[in-house]
Amino acid sequence: MDKLFTPSTVNKIIQEHDFKFSKSLGQNFLIDEHIIEKILISSDITKSDLVIEIGPGIGTLTAAIAEKAGKVKAVEIDKKLIPILKETLENFDNVDVINEDILKTDLKQIIDNESKYAAIKIIGNLPYYITTPIIMHILEAKLPIKNITIMTQKEVADRMKASPGGKEYGSLSVAVQYYCEIVPVAVVPKTVFIPKPNVDSFILRLDIREKPAVDVLDEGFFFKIVRASFSQRRKTLLNSLSSALKCSKDSLEETLVNCDIEPKRRAETLSLTEFARLANELYKNSQ
């Protein structure tokens, strides 16, 4: 078969199988060898790796991963793509295609069944509308993963890697940075996809930390405080937290002051360390 990343090959496959793109699934197929190479280099895939790919599409990236990895588990939700993948990946005996929703896939079971591999890595070209649920689903499962390399809408990537103080910084930034060290890889122009999306994408590698970036007394409570803090971004931390937590402003103000946090500050100005300090203090007060 011709190289899967060429526009002529992609269009030929689409026509032969009478494939119709699904807007609801955010389907855009990659047609650029250089972008594929950047993803492979960033992921640092070796024959000792198990790679779980999210959304293989017609197998463009999957084939390239399979040449480098020991085993590839490609999870594809669209059943119409399964016969196409069977055809495009027929020469690879180290690829298993799983026709499931990644949010309902038992990733722990997949990893347990392939325990001989030294490292587990995840790669995905993720539709922007479901990037956050997928990433949080994986991170909160606390799987033994080395890294996650994702290509997603640039706006979502900007939110993940944002620093305190900007409008992009929010609960997603805090959550991803709590679990991961973020390595920006490259901007991906919209011209390297079929069909062409409306915006550019970005490749990020998320290196899973051995332990979270900050120490918290209760992880669930920590994220509750983070979400509550950002629930009304235009309000001060004192107002947004007192409203979300339904607690008195006086006691909350005292707690903020004790944490060396000015009550009139807004959530987007707080660092991970300050969120952890505040959540820990509020948790102790709630016990």
Side-chain angles (χ1 to χ4, degrees):
M1 178 174 286
D2 296 330
K3 291 290 187 181
L4 279 172
F5 53 76
T6 65
S8 59
T9 303
V10 174
N11 282 319
K12 182 182 175 184
I13 291 170
I14 290 168
Q15 288 169 10
E16 284 180 352
H17 290 266
D18 194 26
F19 179 78
K20 300 292 189 297
F21 288 94
S22 168
K23 283 190 177 181
S24 65
L25 294 178
Q27 290 172 330
N28 303 95
F29 298 158
L30 188 59
I31 52 168
D32 189 283
E33 185 178 15
H34 300 295
I35 299 299
I36 292 170
E37 192 63 25
K38 285 181 179 180
I39 293 171
L40 294 177
I41 291 171
S42 172
S43 305
D44 190 25
I45 301 167
T46 70
K47 287 296 179 184
S48 62
D49 294 339
L50 164 66
V51 176
I52 299 171
E53 186 191 8
I54 304 169
I58 62 167
T60 307
L61 181 56
T62 321
I65 295 170
E67 290 178 353
K68 302 275 188 182
K71 185 79 173 181
V72 183
K73 297 283 189 174
V75 183
E76 175 56 59
I77 191 172
D78 189 351
K79 65 181 180 181
K80 298 191 299 297
L81 285 169
I82 303 307
I84 298 178
L85 288 165
K86 186 177 180 180
E87 179 183 302
T88 59
L89 301 173
E90 63 182 350
N91 294 328
F92 296 99
D93 59 6
N94 63 336
V95 179
D96 293 336
V97 177
I98 303 168
N99 183 202
E100 287 182 13
D101 179 346
I102 190 66
L103 294 174
K104 298 176 182 176
T105 302
D106 191 342
L107 295 177
K108 183 179 184 302
Q109 187 64 54
I110 289 174
I111 292 168
D112 288 347
N113 289 344
E114 302 290 349
S115 57
K116 71 177 182 178
Y117 293 100
I120 296 97
K121 297 170 182 178
I122 294 181
I123 296 177
N125 175 16
L126 307 181
Y128 76 92
Y129 75 95
I130 202 168
T131 297
T132 298
I134 289 175
I135 292 300
M136 293 314 301
H137 175 69
I138 294 168
L139 295 178
E140 289 171 354
K142 294 184 169 59
L143 301 166
I145 297 165
K146 184 172 183 181
N147 60 47
I148 307 169
T149 303
I150 59 166
M151 182 161 54
T152 188
Q153 185 178 346
K154 187 176 180 297
E155 178 188 329
V156 181
D158 287 344
R159 285 168 53 206
M160 287 189 190
K161 60 187 178 71
S163 301
K167 63 178 182 179
E168 291 90 1
Y169 185 73
S171 55
L172 178 63
S173 320
V174 173
V176 174
Q177 292 170 35
Y178 173 83
Y179 288 114
C180 311
E181 291 184 20
I182 301 177
V183 181
V185 178
V187 175
V188 182
K190 55 190 173 185
T191 52
V192 302
F193 295 99
I194 293 177
K196 186 170 71 174
N198 295 323
V199 294
D200 291 339
S201 296
F202 200 97
I203 302 168
L204 282 180
R205 191 182 77 228
L206 311 178
D207 293 339
I208 310 300
R209 300 179 187 273
E210 288 189 10
K211 66 173 191 174
V214 289
D215 294 322
V216 297
L217 296 175
D218 185 281
E219 202 169 86
F221 189 82
F222 168 74
F223 284 117
K224 178 183 176 181
I225 296 303
V226 171
R227 287 191 298 270
S229 299
F230 284 104
S231 61
Q232 300 178 72
R233 291 184 68 106
R234 293 185 178 182
K235 290 190 174 183
T236 65
L237 206 56
L238 179 62
N239 286 334
S240 59
L241 275 176
S242 62
S243 174
L245 300 177
K246 295 180 172 55
C247 61
S248 77
K249 285 189 178 181
D250 289 343
S251 63
L252 183 57
E253 184 170 9
E254 184 179 344
T255 301
L256 285 163
V257 171
N258 289 340
C259 292
D260 294 322
I261 298 171
E262 164 59 47
K264 291 184 179 179
R265 286 173 63 184
R266 289 188 168 88
E268 66 261 26
T269 68
L270 266 65
S271 66
L272 261 72
T273 301
E274 289 176 310
F275 271 120
R277 192 190 310 146
L278 175 59
N280 288 342
E281 190 68 22
L282 288 168
Y283 182 75
K284 284 188 286 187
N285 293 345
S286 69
Q287 299 305 297

